[in-house]
Amino acid sequence: GRNPGPARFVAHKAPENVFLAGPGAVFLAGEAAKNKARNTIIAEPDRYRAAFLIGRRGVDPGPARIVQSDPRVLLRTVSAGYDLIIQTTPEPLNAASNRFFTVQFFREAAGALKKNGILAFSLPFSENYLPPERAYLSASVLASASSVFRHVEPVPGGALTVLASDGPIDLSPETLARRYKARGLDSPYVAPQNLPFILDPYRRQWALAATGRIKAPPLN
């Protein structure tokens, strides 16, 4: 499926202060700069991994600042400071990764976001068929996010991109296309002509229905 991931940035009207965490954080720093972020923090507890990605893989974090810290610890030190928090751990496969999909983590992220700030993360998904175990996982994590944030919006694709905020999130193709053009972006996935398909209401309702089959999912 088409990758809706870059829509995480245009979902916010002005992501000036951005917090990136997880194994893909360094790779997103360039996207943050393209979206006019003035202050980007990369939380990376493993300095050797960061050095490898930058030195050996040629990843350029640009003006982003890399802080050697557990993302959860760093979020606790900030109150209402970020417009956008992107958590890039792909799925909760073990205890180490699961801690970024819990009610506790969502509360920490909510406390570090500005008013109407957005938390974005992804879950494994499928556009046509969702196995029971994957539906159970997604339903549990979505319920956990919904217990903290007033608005939780899924954007389905090869992965389920989840956007969570205390304020309404405008995901209309027209709004995102306007932001895309205003920022001078150039992405093959979130080009304005692709947005009506990526954000088709039927696709989003299918995602909600697929996870909604799990009744009373436990909070994570």
Side-chain angles (χ1 to χ4, degrees):
R2 300 183 187 184
N3 176 15
R8 294 170 290 194
F9 287 98
V10 292
H12 195 285
K13 63 180 180 180
E16 295 184 351
N17 295 296
V18 176
F19 182 95
L20 305 174
V26 173
F27 296 95
L28 286 178
E31 288 292 328
K34 292 176 184 178
N35 280 271
K36 315 302 182 185
R38 294 192 303 177
N39 176 43
T40 300
I41 300 296
I42 298 173
E44 175 52 77
D46 188 341
R47 62 189 177 94
Y48 296 104
R49 179 170 64 181
F52 173 80
L53 292 174
I54 295 171
R56 299 291 183 87
R57 293 288 299 276
V59 178
D60 181 10
R65 182 163 62 95
I66 300 176
V67 179
Q68 187 181 346
S69 173
D70 184 311
R72 299 171 306 156
V73 174
L74 201 56
L75 286 175
R76 294 182 200 129
T77 67
V78 176
S79 177
Y82 297 108
D83 300 298
L84 181 63
I85 296 173
I86 300 180
Q87 194 281 99
T88 68
T89 302
E91 56 185 309
L93 288 174
N94 51 45
S97 58
N98 184 64
R99 58 188 173 163
F100 297 108
F101 296 88
T102 63
V103 172
Q104 181 181 359
F105 174 76
F106 294 142
R107 287 174 179 163
E108 291 165 348
L113 284 169
K114 292 181 180 178
K115 182 180 180 181
N116 297 327
I118 296 173
L119 166 69
F121 62 93
S122 296
L123 292 167
F125 210 71
S126 170
E127 294 189 76
N128 301 308
Y129 171 69
L130 197 62
E133 65 277 7
R134 189 164 289 182
Y136 185 88
L137 165 67
S138 298
S140 175
V141 174
L142 289 173
S144 299
S146 296
S147 74
V148 175
F149 294 96
R150 292 189 180 92
H151 302 271
V152 177
E153 299 287 350
V155 183
L160 184 70
T161 297
V162 182
L163 304 172
S165 177
D166 272 340
I169 304 172
D170 186 351
L171 290 179
S172 68
E174 297 78 14
T175 296
L176 299 195
R178 185 169 62 250
R179 292 172 184 169
Y180 179 98
K181 293 177 180 178
R183 297 174 195 177
L185 300 177
D186 182 17
S187 167
Y189 299 114
V190 194
Q193 62 266 26
N194 293 338
L195 290 172
F197 170 79
I198 293 173
L199 300 168
D200 185 275
Y202 175 81
R203 297 176 73 244
R204 296 174 66 198
Q205 286 302 316
W206 183 89
L208 290 173
T211 58
R213 289 197 295 267
I214 307 300
K215 302 305 179 184
L219 300 183
N220 188 26

